[in-house]
Structures are given as C-alpha cells and as structure tokens.
Amino acid sequence: MQHKKVRFHNSHVDYYFDSSARKLKQLADPRLSVILTDENVFAAHPKIFANWNTIVLKAGEQFKVQDTVDAVIEQMLEMGVDRQYTLVGVGGGVITDIAGYTAGIYKRGIRCGFVPSTLLALVDASIGGKNGVDVGAYKNMVGLIRQPAFILHDLSLLNSLPEAEWVNGFAEIIKHACIKDAGMFRQLEEKSTSSYRKQRKLLAALVQKNVMLKNRVVQKDEFETGERRHLNFGHTLGHALENQYELSHGQAISIGMTFASILSGQLSNFKNADRVVGLLENYGLPTFAQFDREKAMQVLSKDKKKENDTIHFVLLERIGKAVTKPVSIDHLSKALS
Amino acid sequence: MQHKKVRFHNSHVDYYFDSSARKLKQLADPRLSVILTDENVFAAHPKIFANWNTIVLKAGEQFKVQDTVDAVIEQMLEMGVDRQYTLVGVGGGVITDIAGYTAGIYKRGIRCGFVPSTLLALVDASIGGKNGVDVGAYKNMVGLIRQPAFILHDLSLLNSLPEAEWVNGFAEIIKHACIKDAGMFRQLEEKSTSSYRKQRKLLAALVQKNVMLKNRVVQKDEFETGERRHLNFGHTLGHALENQYELSHGQAISIGMTFASILSGQLSNFKNADRVVGLLENYGLPTFAQFDREKAMQVLSKDKKKENDTIHFVLLERIGKAVTKPVSIDHLSKALS
C-alpha cells in the first residue's frame, strides 16, 4: 500500500494505491456512510458491504441518468443521511460518476470517496473530479467538477472483471501513453494484456503511473480551460459513437483515437498513426469501423466543448505529445467521409 | 447606479445597485445568453426579454423541483447552448435558485447572473450563492453553493409586486436586523412598509444595506460551517411549516422567528421577544399560529443542518446579536408544545 496526497485548487485527494477494500472503515465511519454500488459488484464482492448502509443500482451506462440520481437522493433522505455523512462509490465509472455528482448536490454537498472496481475506473474515470450523468444521447451533459476526499484501490476486485472490461481500461491507458508518455507507449508495445494480468506488480505500477499522469494534467488545469482537454484525445468522436452503437467506452474511443491520429497526419504532421492503430489492435480494440456519419456529426455538433462552430480537437504531434487545435465542423465532416 | 465587487473564496460577484434591466446587455451577450424567468415576470415586463433567448417557467415554489431543471436543460441542449453562454435568472427566489443550480450543473458549469424581481430576492434569495430545488416536502435538499457572476438590481421591477410579496421581503429584512443590526431594527420600528414603498431612495438604501449585511456574513463563512448559520434564524421551524401549510416563505419564517425569539428567552437570556413580535406584526406578518406539532417535528428531524439528534438552532442574545446553539430534538419537541 502506498498513500499519496494529491492537491487541487480548493481541495486534495488521498490516494491509497494497491491497498485493500478492508481499509475503507478507516476512511469513513460505517455508521455515518452510505455505499453506492451496482448489482454486479454487490454480487461479486459481498464481504465489502457487510455492516454498511448500501444502495445497490442496476448496472449499466443506460442508468447513468438524472432519474437514478433522484432515486438515490430519495433513499438517502429516507435513511436520514445528513451533512456529516460520506457517500462512497464502489464500482466502475458509472458508479463513481453518480456517487460524485450525488454527493456534490445532496444537501449542497457531502463528503465522498471512491473504491474503483474496474481498470477503466482505476486509471481514468475515478480521477480528476469530473462527474455527472447523461441526457438522452448526450454523454455527461450535467455534472460537476468536484474532487472526492479519497480514492482507495483494491486490485483484487479486478479478479471478477470480464475480458471486455480489461480491453476497455487499456484504451484509456493507451490514450495516456499517446498524449503524455512515449516510454509507457513503448512498454505497452512490448507487453500485452496478459502480461499485466499475470504480473500483479507490473499492473500495480501501470495503474499508479496512469493515475499520477492524469492527476498531473488535471492539477495544471482542473477546470478545463487548456491542457486538460488533451485527455479528450479520441473522445470527441468516441462519445458521438458510444451512445449510437453497441460499443463500450473503450471501443468507441479506440475508433476515435484512430480517427484523431489520421486527422493528426493531415493537420499536425503526425507520422505514427500506424503505431497507434497497431497498439490498439494488439490490445483487442477496434480501429476502423463503419458508422453513420450524419448521425455522428449531429451529435458532434452538440458536443459540450464546442464553441460556436468549431470544436477544440485533440491531435498528436508525436507519440507522447498532444496539441489542441480548433477544427471547424465543416472540416470534420469532410474528414469523416 | 452603484457598482460593487464582492469577493468570495474562489470567485467574486459584481453588484449593480439601483440600476436598470437595460444594462443587462452590457453584462451578457444576448447572442450567447439564455434568460430564465417565470410567466408572471414575463407578462409584467415584456420589454426586458425582447431580443433575448428566453425560457419561461410556470410561477411558484411547487415548480422548484428537479423535473423543472431537467426540462430547462433539455431546452438549453435544443438551443445549442455551449460553455460560452451565460444563464440569466430574471425573477424571484425560485427563478434565481433554479437558474443558479442549472448553470452550476449544465455541462459542468456555465456563467450565470441574476436580475432579482422581488424584494425577497433582492435582499436575500439572490445573495450568497446557495441554490437548488426541493425534494418532496423538504426544501432545498439538492443544490450547490456557487456564486453568480453578477447581480443587477432594477427597483422598478417592484412596481408590479403584489402586497404579499412586500411582506415576504420584509420578513428577511427583519431577520437581518435581528441577527446583525440593532440600528436597522430601530429604523424599521420607526418606519413602515409604506414609507419604503413611497420613498425610492430610502428603499434603495435599505436594499443595499441588506445585501452588504448578508454578503459580509457569507464572506466570513461561505460554506456554512459557522456564522452563516445565523442567517437561518427563524428558518428551521419556518421551512418545516412552509411546505406543510399555505404559508409564504415570509409568513413561515415569521412564525419561526417568533418561536426562536421565545426559545431564546429560555436558552440564551434574550429579553426582547416582544419587540421582535411587535415589529413582525407591524409589517403584516403572522407570529403565533396553530400548526401540527407532530408533522413539524417530523420535518424538523430531516432538516439538512441536523447532526445526529441535535439541531444547530439560531437564537438571539440581544437585538442585533445571534448565536448558534445545539438544541436536542427532544427539547424542541417540548418547547413546541
């Protein structure tokens, strides 16, 4: 176990790397806490929840909506939850997003913490304070930027993770390597999913490296006016596709990263689109795909990062070095065809 | 017109006292703004809304709920509102609460401003950054503490204000006098509602004094861990009554202030409950009232400021000097009988 305190603009987050869910009771008082989880995590790890007030949600992104938040808030009111309570999200990104958002608005804000249960949540979704819910086909249209008080890692939770969820997590890890860390990109090229799954120390080091990489970006730009946008590499098109098709988040952003890499060749002189595509494929991710261009453009034009008729698109200059460039909706539409 | 910049922890608010709604276009770009208002304000002051994107809500506290916020967000998405937009609430406290909350969560936060149209909103509801919606019988159970970018005053909007709304506003003005300003208390004892309605300068001075008084309290304790609680004088019981009966906010907190003044006699040696009751009655407010004690206690015990079985109750030591004391639910229950 390693403890790191990561400081943000108005707050800090206590990270407990490679630790155990048993430590949770040292971070939050079970009598003054509510755990939010989903039925899959609850069924796979029943011991975690013994002696805690627990609200169990249906699993899936389709439940990451305001109605779910409303129902959670009503249950918390019924339980008599006051401002001294901590809300703990134990689960993947959907759960940490709902828990962070609900804690931010319940009685105008209560303490919250996360125990991420997926690789994606460990290396990305739980980090940086962004939370919220989807509205119709539009992802994360409502939410807050608010840091949790703590994030507790227990890698043994990954033992119940289906194969597809590993692939999902590696999509964000590859994204981090693309935008910030050529050394990690090379390590990923040398290894494979199974090397990380078999060697716990190698995995723990990879997770911690990704957490600190993302935190460094967020620390420089917590409220997303500049560098934090780099984390959206592959996400602009990715989000447009994700809710339209039966794609996981990782699959959608993998296609998005492929598109952004090729666009980078046209607009920022990037030479290594083939290496990005190759790495994504090695980790079981889709790269080129048929999709409805018109529908994708429709969703892109509602992107929350859009300013007038231009999207700030994240491109690569080289492996490990991202830039943001304004790209017109017109240009995107042509590039997509 | 007087401009004052009021600084808070992470932000500041630009106040424009005794100004005009015509100034709004200098504070927000009409092409990149949405005004939120209610049908009463929209009908009474149509000129304000010409050339602005406007969303008009039904009037009334019963619409201060998440469903309304959801509908506003859907309309903003349809309008293509992006992060460069400003959301302006033109109306009473319900509108400024909904506008502030919606701006805080829409795309994780956009700029917002207020043009308060009632005395209550001018001297209280629009100030201090608290916003949110009700959940069932529980007031303001969900929301944020987030300051608007600007607050623009136009006292001519009060010309369309019904009598009951003047009374409502004076309840909060009397509260401010009780907890912080014995001089203002004496001025209020000498004057009456009609003196302020007839003399615009006297009213403008009273409004500005109340705004700055509340802001000083909020500046010291933006996130309500101490002194800001004094602003809840009369509100603990008031909120419990407000949604239970056909009472306005002002009427409910007037009964709450009466109860708190008498409780102050028992618990903090307060000698002037009769003066508080007299002043409230002079301004047309109810003081003693029959109500369902059991129901009130049920709602009190869900109060969001409750910690375990104690409520931090705001009491008076003397006119102009409030204190917060923990009072057990048991004691309150006895005092109410």
Side-chain angles (χ1 to χ4, degrees):
Chain A
M1 198 278 286
Q2 198 181 355
H3 172 225
K4 287 208 181 209
K5 195 182 278 286
V6 178
R7 292 184 193 286
F8 294 95
H9 193 237
N10 314 311
S11 60
H12 70 265
V13 182
D14 285 303
Y15 277 88
Y16 300 89
F17 291 109
D18 202 5
S19 179
S20 160
R22 286 190 301 276
K23 194 183 168 61
L24 184 58
K25 60 182 181 294
Q26 293 165 36
L27 306 178
D29 180 346
R31 293 163 306 171
L32 292 174
S33 298
V34 174
I35 291 182
L36 193 70
T37 191
D38 72 32
E39 51 194 12
N40 293 344
V41 179
F42 188 74
H45 309 283
K47 278 188 188 164
I48 294 180
F49 305 96
N51 304 315
W52 293 81
N53 306 306
T54 304
I55 297 175
V56 183
L57 302 180
K58 285 183 188 157
E61 175 91 21
Q62 68 270 37
F63 300 108
K64 203 179 99 171
V65 293
Q66 187 67 45
D67 281 354
T68 304
V69 173
D70 294 348
V72 170
I73 285 169
E74 274 171 35
Q75 283 184 69
M76 287 166 66
L77 284 171
E78 284 309 306
M79 287 171 164
V81 172
D82 66 29
R83 286 182 173 168
Q84 305 310 299
Y85 273 63
T86 301
L87 181 63
V88 183
V90 179
V94 170
I95 289 295
T96 58
D97 268 14
I98 294 176
Y101 175 48
T102 305
I105 61 175
Y106 184 79
K107 300 195 178 184
R108 298 201 185 97
I110 63 172
R111 183 172 181 259
C112 89
F114 301 147
V115 184
S117 70
T118 66
L119 185 59
L120 182 71
L122 284 162
V123 300
D124 184 31
S126 67
I127 305 164
K130 282 193 185 178
N131 58 47
V133 296
D134 305 333
V135 180
Y138 310 115
K139 280 182 65 80
N140 302 319
M141 278 293 138
V142 163
L144 302 170
I145 297 181
R146 180 178 189 263
Q147 305 300 332
F150 64 84
I151 300 183
L152 173 62
H153 284 195
D154 182 340
L155 298 182
S156 77
L157 300 183
L158 300 180
N159 295 340
S160 66
L161 207 62
E163 178 66 27
E165 274 299 321
W166 284 91
V167 175
N168 232 349
F170 272 104
E172 298 289 358
I173 291 170
I174 292 169
K175 180 195 79 178
H176 286 154
C178 282
I179 64 169
K180 279 283 161 196
D181 195 334
M184 181 161 75
F185 194 97
R186 283 189 296 274
Q187 192 200 66
L188 289 164
E189 285 183 321
E190 286 158 19
K191 311 276 180 188
S192 67
T193 313
S194 70
S195 11
Y196 294 103
R197 291 181 67 170
K198 281 180 199 149
Q199 299 169 66
R200 183 215 174 95
K201 278 199 175 170
L202 192 69
L203 177 65
L206 184 73
V207 167
Q208 184 163 344
K209 186 191 282 278
N210 275 274
V211 170
M212 297 315 285
L213 182 155
K214 177 162 179 181
N215 272 323
R216 279 193 299 275
V217 176
V218 176
Q219 280 174 313
K220 282 190 210 160
D221 178 27
E222 188 172 0
F223 299 105
E224 194 165 358
T225 52
E227 187 174 337
R228 187 164 182 173
R229 286 176 171 160
H230 293 173
L231 295 170
N232 294 316
F233 178 62
H235 280 59
T236 309
L237 179 62
H239 279 168
L241 299 177
E242 187 174 347
N243 281 6
Q244 241 186 79
Y245 295 94
E246 299 280 308
L247 292 172
S248 70
H249 182 69
Q251 291 172 322
I253 67 161
S254 179
I255 296 166
M257 287 191 274
T258 302
F259 175 68
S261 296
I262 288 161
L263 200 64
S264 300
Q266 296 168 21
L267 297 176
S268 61
N269 205 28
F270 178 58
K271 309 287 190 205
N272 290 118
D274 55 333
R275 275 178 73 195
V276 175
V277 170
L279 186 60
L280 291 167
E281 289 180 348
N282 279 352
Y283 282 80
L285 287 155
T287 49
F288 297 95
Q290 294 292 335
F291 52 85
D292 185 334
R293 277 196 315 119
E294 269 186 38
K295 254 198 190 169
M297 281 308 302
Q298 225 177 329
V299 180
L300 274 182
S301 68
K302 298 250 160 118
D303 190 276
K304 68 180 170 306
K305 283 134 204 149
K306 179 175 77 73
E307 289 170 17
N308 303 321
D309 282 331
T310 299
I311 289 182
H312 289 270
F313 218 90
V314 184
L315 303 171
L316 297 182
E317 281 185 357
R318 50 183 164 76
I319 301 283
K321 175 83 171 82
V323 286
T324 305
K325 290 202 175 172
V327 181
S328 71
I329 299 272
D330 275 0
H331 190 108
L332 281 180
S333 180
K334 276 174 202 145
L336 268 174
S337 60
Chain B
M1 197 280 284
Q2 199 182 353
H3 172 225
K4 286 209 182 211
K5 196 182 277 286
V6 178
R7 291 183 194 287
F8 294 94
H9 193 236
N10 314 311
S11 61
H12 70 266
V13 181
D14 285 303
Y15 277 87
Y16 301 89
F17 291 110
D18 202 5
S19 181
S20 160
R22 287 191 300 277
K23 195 184 167 63
L24 184 58
K25 60 181 180 295
Q26 293 165 35
L27 306 179
D29 180 345
R31 293 163 306 171
L32 292 174
S33 297
V34 174
I35 292 183
L36 193 70
T37 192
D38 71 33
E39 51 194 12
N40 294 344
V41 179
F42 189 74
H45 309 282
K47 277 187 188 165
I48 294 180
F49 306 97
N51 304 315
W52 293 82
N53 306 306
T54 305
I55 297 174
V56 183
L57 302 181
K58 286 183 189 158
E61 174 92 20
Q62 68 271 37
F63 300 108
K64 203 179 98 171
V65 293
Q66 187 67 45
D67 281 355
T68 305
V69 174
D70 295 348
V72 170
I73 285 169
E74 274 171 35
Q75 282 184 72
M76 288 167 67
L77 285 171
E78 283 308 306
M79 288 170 163
V81 172
D82 66 29
R83 286 182 173 168
Q84 305 310 298
Y85 273 62
T86 301
L87 182 63
V88 183
V90 179
V94 170
I95 290 295
T96 58
D97 268 15
I98 294 176
Y101 175 48
T102 305
I105 62 174
Y106 185 79
K107 299 195 179 184
R108 298 202 185 97
I110 63 172
R111 183 172 181 259
C112 89
F114 301 147
V115 184
S117 71
T118 65
L119 185 61
L120 181 71
L122 284 162
V123 300
D124 185 31
S126 68
I127 305 163
K130 281 192 185 180
N131 58 46
V133 295
D134 305 332
V135 179
Y138 310 114
K139 281 182 63 82
N140 302 320
M141 278 293 136
V142 163
L144 301 170
I145 297 181
R146 181 178 188 262
Q147 305 300 332
F150 64 84
I151 300 184
L152 173 62
H153 284 194
D154 182 340
L155 298 182
S156 77
L157 300 183
L158 300 181
N159 295 340
S160 65
L161 207 62
E163 178 66 28
E165 274 299 322
W166 284 91
V167 174
N168 231 349
F170 272 103
E172 297 289 358
I173 291 171
I174 292 170
K175 180 195 78 178
H176 286 154
C178 282
I179 64 168
K180 280 282 161 195
D181 194 334
M184 181 162 78
F185 194 97
R186 283 189 297 274
Q187 192 200 66
L188 289 164
E189 285 182 320
E190 286 157 20
K191 310 277 180 188
S192 66
T193 312
S194 71
S195 16
Y196 293 104
R197 291 181 67 169
K198 281 179 198 151
Q199 298 170 66
R200 183 216 174 94
K201 277 198 176 173
L202 193 68
L203 177 66
L206 184 73
V207 167
Q208 186 164 342
K209 189 192 279 279
N210 275 274
V211 170
M212 297 315 285
L213 181 155
K214 177 162 178 180
N215 272 323
R216 279 193 299 277
V217 176
V218 175
Q219 280 174 312
K220 281 190 211 159
D221 179 27
E222 188 171 0
F223 299 105
E224 194 165 358
T225 52
E227 187 174 337
R228 187 165 183 170
R229 286 176 172 159
H230 293 174
L231 296 169
N232 294 318
F233 178 61
H235 280 59
T236 309
L237 180 62
H239 279 168
L241 298 177
E242 186 173 347
N243 280 7
Q244 236 185 85
Y245 296 95
E246 299 280 307
L247 292 172
S248 71
H249 182 69
Q251 291 172 322
I253 67 159
S254 180
I255 295 167
M257 287 190 274
T258 303
F259 174 69
S261 296
I262 289 161
L263 201 64
S264 299
Q266 296 169 21
L267 297 176
S268 60
N269 205 28
F270 178 58
K271 309 286 188 208
N272 290 118
D274 54 334
R275 276 178 73 197
V276 175
V277 170
L279 186 60
L280 291 167
E281 289 179 348
N282 279 353
Y283 282 80
L285 287 156
T287 49
F288 297 94
Q290 295 292 338
F291 52 84
D292 184 334
R293 278 197 315 119
E294 267 187 37
K295 253 197 188 169
M297 281 308 302
Q298 224 177 329
V299 180
L300 274 181
S301 70
K302 296 250 160 116
D303 190 276
K304 66 181 170 308
K305 284 133 204 150
K306 180 175 76 74
E307 289 171 16
N308 302 324
D309 282 330
T310 299
I311 289 183
H312 290 269
F313 218 89
V314 185
L315 303 170
L316 297 181
E317 279 185 359
R318 50 182 164 78
I319 302 282
K321 175 85 172 83
V323 287
T324 305
K325 289 200 177 173
V327 182
S328 72
I329 300 271
D330 275 0
H331 190 107
L332 282 179
S333 179
K334 274 173 205 146
L336 267 175
S337 61

